[in-house]
Every structure is written in C-alpha cells, then in structure tokens.
Amino acid sequence: MAILEVKHIEKHFGSTKVLNDISFSLEKGQALSIIGSSGSGKTTLLRCLNFLERPDGGVICVNGRVIFDAEDKTTQSDKEIRKKRLHFGLVFQNFNLFPQYTALENVTLARELMAKEHGSESKAAIREEGLTLLKQMGLADRANHYPHQLSGGQQQRVAIARALAMKPDILCFDEPTSALDPELTGEVLRVIRELAKQKTTMIIVTHEMAFARDVADQVIFMDDGVIVEQGDPRQVIEHPAQERTRQFLARYSQEE
C-alpha cells in the first residue's frame, strides 16, 4: 500500500489555475524528486500537502486514510489541521529558524509544545533526541549556537533535524539548497543522500538534476501546473519522452 496517494489535486489563485489534476503515489521508504521551472507549481503542491494552502479539488490519502477531500466542506479547527500537518515535515528554502533560540531549542521547540499539550513526553527525553538528531546532522558541537552563529548549510541542517524531530511520515524539501552558496550545497545534499539510504520517505523539490537522478526512486517534471512526465529518474532526466521535458532539460544544461 502506498504511504501517500495524491488524487486530482487542483489549486487556483483567483482566475489562475496553479495546479491542474495532480495525481501521484509514493511508497514507504521512497524518495520522489519534483523538477520544473520557477512558477510551475512545485512549491504550491508542497504547501497543499502540508496544509499551508487548501486545495480547491482532489483527495490526499496517507497510510490508506483520507486526510483531505475537497468535497468535504466541513470547517476544520486549527487543532485538526495541526494534527494532519504532523504527517508531513517541511524544510523550507530559507531555513526559517527562530533567531532567539539555539540550534537545539529550534529542533525541540515544537515537540516540547506538543508534549505540554498532551503530556506525552518529558522535556529531558525530547532534548536527548534533539541532541541525537543534531549529531546525525554533523552538528553535535553546534547545539548551543544561535542561527546567526551558523553558516547557511548548518542552519539548513538544523532545519532538517527540526523536521525529523516531529517524526513525520513524509519529509518534504522545498529546494533545500537554493539559498546556499555553492560550496555549502554539498553538505546539505550529503545529509539528504544519507536519509535516502536510510529509506526515509521524502518529496524533494530541487533544481539539482544530477542529485534528483541519483537519489530519487521516481521523478516528476511539472510545467504550468501539470505533471508533464513522471517515472524512473534516469529515464526522465536522461531520455525524456516528452518534448516539453526535453526543452526544459536542454535549457537547464545550457544555464549550468
């Protein structure tokens, strides 16, 4: 059974259709890369999956259970939406760390707030797990540093640890290296490669074509709000079937 099924997702902003009949599935432990030009709808799709935007049509299922159906017009409370969000962890382009908190505090804050609400975990246990995650990110010696004391690559690795701390079913990345200098990109990509080896279920919006080809189990190419082509990464990136995909990859190679 697929861990994630996305069926016929639609999203409009005014009269502009940003997502048009988006459907795909993802198995547990798979990595999916989404590629495409700016404005193709990639980030909006991630925001819909994370309930930062409400789709205008379609269905989202996680672990065989419907968590969103556009036909259901029932008003949901903030608490219900937060609960659905827990299925997904989102790592943003620009880190979005809290500047007044240390790296460790950024990682543990959301878990501590949730534990306070439900009384499910001790602060000490959450802190210990946060330290373990920072060690996994290669940041064991940066736990007490504030964001301004960290490089962009280190901040992004803290953001990844923060997302993992919530134990999401699916970890989502929105162009995780786009805000980084070229020399810092590699350290973030190495972390994501390692997560892929550990069979972390991931959706990665990326402009790193070689990375998408080598790490993902499947690739989706989006253009103008639709899925133009999807399938095996090497097939799609090295031998695309659709002319629009070929045009995009040819232009991208020229820009590189």
Side-chain angles (χ1 to χ4, degrees), residues 104 108 111-112 115 121-131:
L104 179 58
T108 60
R111 273 279 287 281
E112 288 176 1
E121 293 180 288
S122 71
K123 189 170 182 177
I126 295 170
R127 176 184 168 84
E128 190 62 35
E129 189 161 339
L131 288 169

Side-chain angles (χ1 to χ4, degrees), residues 75-244:
T75 301
Q76 295 187 325
S77 67
D78 290 343
K79 185 176 181 180
E80 289 171 319
I81 292 172
R82 285 199 305 271
K83 186 176 180 181
K84 291 182 177 184
R85 244 179 224 148
L86 292 175
H87 291 292
F88 300 89
L90 180 56
V91 179
F92 298 90
Q93 293 181 27
N94 295 311
F95 326 137
N96 286 15
L97 299 180
F98 294 109
Q100 71 272 34
Y101 294 128
T102 64
L104 179 58
E105 289 167 340
N106 267 282
V107 171
T108 60
L109 179 62
R111 273 279 287 281
E112 288 176 1
L113 291 172
M114 192 166 68
K116 189 174 182 180
E117 184 178 344
H118 299 288
S120 53
E121 293 180 288
S122 71
K123 189 170 182 177
I126 295 170
R127 176 184 168 84
E128 190 62 35
E129 189 161 339
L131 288 169
T132 299
L133 285 168
L134 286 174
K135 183 178 180 181
Q136 183 183 343
M137 297 296 118
L139 296 170
D141 60 342
R142 297 289 189 271
N144 294 317
H145 286 57
Y146 290 89
H148 75 272
Q149 297 172 307
L150 303 173
S151 71
Q154 290 170 338
Q155 289 185 61
Q156 190 62 296
R157 284 182 280 155
V158 172
I160 295 171
R162 176 178 61 185
L164 288 169
M166 298 304 291
K167 304 187 181 197
D169 293 298
I170 300 139
L171 185 59
C172 301
F173 295 89
D174 185 10
E175 297 195 4
T177 60
S178 67
L180 300 177
D181 294 332
E183 63 267 26
L184 299 178
T185 294
E187 64 189 57
V188 173
L189 294 182
R190 279 193 295 274
V191 167
I192 301 175
R193 285 179 190 273
E194 190 58 37
L195 291 172
K197 287 180 184 176
Q198 296 168 8
K199 296 298 180 183
T200 304
T201 309
M202 295 185 287
I203 300 175
I204 310 161
V205 168
T206 183
H207 57 272
E208 302 283 346
M209 295 301 129
F211 175 77
R213 180 195 63 206
D214 296 340
V215 171
D217 296 286
Q218 57 175 310
V219 163
I220 285 174
F221 168 60
M222 290 182 65
D223 183 57
D224 200 23
V226 302
I227 293 177
V228 175
E229 189 164 352
Q230 64 186 111
D232 175 83
R234 290 194 176 273
Q235 180 64 43
V236 172
I237 292 174
E238 295 180 355
H239 307 287
Q242 301 300 319
E243 178 60 27
R244 182 65 191 93

